[in-house]
Amino acid sequence: MKPSRRVVCATLWLLSLFCSTLAQSQTSLVLGFTPDHSAHEIALETKFKSIPSADEERRQHRIFTSEPHVAGSKRNNELADYIAEEWRKQGLEDIVIHRYDVYGTNPKSASLEMIAPVHYQAVLRESPLDADSDTKNPAISGAWLGMSISGEVTAPVVYAHSGNPEDYDLLRKNGISVTGKIVLVRYSNPYSYRGFKALTAQREGAAAILIYSDPAEDGYKKGKVDPDGPWGPEYHIQRGAITYDFMVPGDPLTPGWASVPGAKRIPIEQATSAPKIMALPLSWHDAKPLLENMDGPLAPADWQGGLPIQYHLGGKHVKVHLKIEMDNATQPYYVVEGRIRGAELPDEWIVLGNHRDAWVFGGVDPSSGTASMMEMTRAFGNLAKDGMRPRRTIIVCSWDGEEVGLTGSTEWGEQFANELRAKAVAYINVDEATSGPNFHGQAVASLAPMLVETSRSLQDPSGKTLYEAWKAAAAREKQEAKQPAEITDANLADTRIGSGSDHTVFLNFVGMPVIGLGFEGDYGVYHSAYDDFYWMNHFGDPGYRYHTLMSQLWGVTALRLANADLLPFDFASYANNVRQFVNELASKNKPVILSGVAGSRSEAVTESKDLVLNLTPVLSAIDAFEAAGKRLSESLSRKLASGPIDPKLALTLNHGMMQVERNWLNPDGIPGRPWFKHILYGARFTYAHLELPGLTEAVEKQDWPTAKQQAEILQRALANNTRLVNELNNSLKEPASVSK
Ligand SMILES: [Zn+2]
């Protein structure tokens, strides 16, 4: 956006229009604001940023991390009341606690005993640390995985590495079947959602799955362990749910509609997201006796882990008795909603959210985000009390049951889907606000430029701007991943958005643009009892400076969207990203798929004899959308530079721009997963990002009729949005501004 703005200024200079004032204010122009409103916005943001304090962040963080507060627990419900009460005091309005009666999950008991070749009784608990009195809290749960089924089995154990489908292929090659057996797998790096491991084991016919934390992934092989360092100690247990929410998130009994009183519910047997396998997590302390007694072939080199033993595939000698009793039943979850009503456009909404429920104390996940949210809302409330209300309405939500199946946000999003599709500008999610100093910013491609611009106006604790710190962190990350990519403004924000947090319903079901914010660092205690206040104060963010920065960043990003004259969407950036998605799909799926990669389009078409899928029309549609987006950005910049904008015109433009994201929805959803309606963004079963999900999955399956259909759907959506953006552009063509 910056270059086009400079061009505009030059043009205006030649026309001798407003240019001296513009030149003066140009450095402080904010994307989407007129010069006057830019200056006003910067002043407002300065005031906003001065409010959050590290002491308050720490105080709030202590409140949320003082007791375990898993979804559905008394403590988590008390915290819902606490948030509602605080928001009232802070000056938020229309505070509602929504109740959803959802299929919940709670542990009753679990035991694991090795009965051969030697006896071993698994501890299934985390040992307290002297340095950290919270770890002595008797309310800390033992080992359990949400949505495991109850059962009892005695069977041999097989080591199945990460528990991905290819791991079972290797076992088969070694003559090892897992049918009726118990598979022992590890949490993997890169992250693969444990629910996918459970589904894979279920499909393979295993009787149960044990998932353990290997020290190679998050323990002593990485560095010092808690209480001396950030990595996971011997007894840490990664809890979590195994819900198949990659099929459909939210309450498994109400797929696609809200679990409000009286809602229709399907029987649990018909719920596609409800697992049908027993599952238990283990610390490496409990996994080691099993692993060191395994027989069978030596596991391959990349299956060896961090323990000082040789890992074998097993399958015979090691036999265990596993018993799990769960209390899975319908129970209430609570979503707290509050808002700052917009002064001018109350029916245009910016939605912000963080989940409240934690596996134990939730030091990082999610209470760092919750503390940042509370300081952000205090700052919003302060401004509103001083008469500085946003133009649009800001809605803030504290979700429940995110950890179980993205449940609270999904139910809320399903309940208000129609209203959100009419009113919502964007959703900004903060889950884990802070586990270290490295900023990671995610945004749908149309909002990536505004997020990058916003980061320039914030101060990182390192002394750099957040923008500079972000660039440095991104460069380090690329280097570590051995990807020699240059970091530019165009690729700084992560525009590949998978699932695994509360943005999912808004992006994939409602069709809202989403942003996700987080600071990351070395973090080996995820979902364990050691993820707590002590950990945060010693390793994650001892000075609560990143918590404070998160409150500022989250709030300023929201304020820019809430106050913009013309919403800061960049559709040329969107088109450019979609082109990258298509080109990647083509290059990863050679030779069966024909790519019309820019520059060699016609060549490729004529050369190919066995054309399976021709994406050239899609690429042409992307070009047209990009051209329309570019023209619109230029016209919007010109319009903004010329001063106050007619409210009627602004309404037309803004509502039109809001519609673009909705137009990426296919009401039928992606093949096999009708709940997921976005055709550009989706997630794999591992939660990993999956661009062009319907098309990509069809291509990967070599299902060419479906791939062709999906390509046509994409092409139509691109054409629709091109038409829409062109219409908006036409509405900007006033006679007076036509220059010859
Ligand atoms: Zn979380």
Side-chain angles (χ1 to χ4, degrees), residues 8-27 29 35 641:
V8 170
C9 184
T11 313
L12 293 174
W13 185 272
L14 289 171
L15 293 168
S16 323
L17 285 168
F18 315 115
C19 216
S20 60
T21 46
L22 193 64
Q24 280 159 18
S25 63
Q26 194 192 11
T27 48
L29 267 188

Side-chain angles (χ1 to χ4, degrees), residues 299-343:
D302 60 336
W303 285 37
Q304 298 296 322
L307 294 169
I309 54 169
Q310 287 203 312
Y311 292 50
H312 288 257
L313 302 181
K316 265 189 198 151
H317 276 51
V318 172
K319 241 187 194 180
V320 301
H321 174 229
L322 172 68
K323 189 175 178 192
I324 297 173
E325 273 190 280
M326 299 292 294
D327 178 15
N328 294 348
T330 297
Q331 67 179 128
Y333 283 4
Y334 297 96
V335 167
V336 193
E337 177 192 328
R339 42 182 93 180
I340 300 282
R341 283 184 219 131

Side-chain angles (χ1 to χ4, degrees), residues 355 365-366 402-403 431-432 527:
H355 73 90
D365 184 9
E402 185 271 354
E403 297 290 5
D431 185 330
E432 302 170 6
H527 288 186

